[in-house]
Amino acid sequence: KLCAVPSLAKHYEVACEHEHSSCVLIAHKKFKIGGCWHTWVDGDRFLELVATGRPVIKAEEYALPAPDWALVGSPEQGFDPADVRHRRKRRNKNIARSFHCPHKDEEQDDT
């Protein structure tokens, strides 16, 4: 329910995800063209537009359709199948034990 705020939900949706890094892309609905998210950047087209010297370039002019694997709900969960995925064994290491907060010693007693 990331877009549960009515003023946001009117204009934005969750477009893409990357489960591996716990990230989502919330995009303006103007980038959903014909039911397809155009949230990728055509870098070559962008540079062509910049070279024209125009003072204003609209993102729609260089947006590309997002690949299926990047879309929310895809079986790949945002991971490019052309890339090699490296999985590590997760350790339940408590990083709080190894991190010293320099301000902890400065805590004041409010009584």
Side-chain angles (χ1 to χ4, degrees):
K1 306 262 178 177
L2 292 171
C3 293
V5 178
S7 60
L8 293 176
K10 182 177 178 183
H11 301 288
Y12 295 89
E13 284 184 24
V14 177
C16 298
E17 69 177 334
H18 190 255
E19 185 273 336
H20 181 69
S21 59
S22 301
C23 294
V24 295
L25 172 66
I26 299 173
H28 195 282
K29 291 180 181 180
K30 70 181 178 183
F31 293 105
K32 195 173 191 180
I33 303 165
C36 178
W37 285 107
H38 286 67
T39 54
W40 282 55
V41 174
D42 181 341
D44 292 335
R45 177 68 180 139
F46 175 77
L47 292 175
E48 287 175 14
L49 293 167
V50 169
T52 67
R54 290 178 22 208
V56 177
I57 300 170
K58 295 183 179 182
E60 297 90 339
E61 296 179 79
Y62 55 87
L64 290 173
D68 290 341
W69 54 262
L71 300 174
V72 173
S74 73
E76 298 86 359
Q77 297 177 308
F79 190 83
D80 184 346
D83 289 343
V84 176
R85 189 167 187 170
H86 300 279
R87 295 184 185 262
R88 298 186 284 176
K89 288 184 179 179
R90 293 190 184 252
R91 296 182 195 154
N92 292 331
K93 183 177 179 183
N94 184 347
I95 64 167
R97 290 184 200 158
S98 62
F99 178 75
H100 173 70
C101 178
H103 304 291
K104 184 176 181 177
D105 299 331
E106 299 171 9
E107 289 179 3
Q108 296 177 352
D109 186 9
D110 292 338
T111 56

